[in-house]
Amino acid sequence: MDSLGYLAHRTGEHALALAHCGQALTLRRELGDAFEEADTLAKLGDVHDCLGRADRASKAWEQARSLYLAQRRPGPAARVDQKLRCGGVPDDGARSAPPGP
C-alpha cells in the first residue's frame, strides 16, 4: 500500500497518497512490522509536507526517526533528521507534478 502512496505522491495525487499511506501504516502496525512502519511514516511525512501540513509532517518524521534509531538504521534516520532540521523536503518536482491520467 505504501508503494501506491509513493506513486500517488510523486504524480501529485496527494489526497490519494495520504489514503494509501494511512492504510499501509495501519496494516504495518497491526502486523507488528516496525521496519516497514518506519518507512511508511517517512513517506507519510513527505506527503504532509507537500500539502503544507508542517506539524503533521514533523510528527510523522519524528516517529520514523525514533523507529530508525531503534532499528539501528542510521542512513534513513539521518535523511529524516535532515528534513526535520530543514523544515521539509526539497522541491524535487513532487509538489508541482501534474495529476496522473
Side-chain angles (χ1 to χ4, degrees):
M1 291 306 282
D2 71 342
S3 293
L4 293 174
Y6 174 79
L7 291 173
H9 167 63
R10 296 297 298 167
T11 59
E13 297 286 339
H14 302 300
L16 185 58
L18 281 177
H20 286 309
C21 287
Q23 291 171 349
L25 185 59
T26 298
L27 182 61
R28 303 291 190 212
R29 287 177 171 165
E30 286 176 359
L31 295 173
D33 187 352
F35 189 91
E36 294 293 338
E37 179 183 347
D39 294 336
T40 300
L41 282 163
K43 291 174 189 169
L44 189 60
D46 293 349
V47 176
H48 281 303
D49 181 55
C50 282
L51 291 170
R53 299 174 177 171
D55 55 334
R56 292 182 184 183
S58 293
K59 182 178 177 181
W61 288 330
E62 287 168 0
Q63 290 175 27
R65 180 180 57 190
S66 293
L67 287 171
Y68 286 140
L69 292 173
Q71 297 162 4
R72 296 190 173 116
R73 296 170 65 189
R79 285 188 292 275
V80 169
D81 194 50
Q82 182 178 8
K83 292 173 189 178
L84 286 163
R85 282 193 323 269
C86 297
V89 295
D91 187 358
D92 61 0
R95 292 175 197 259
S96 58

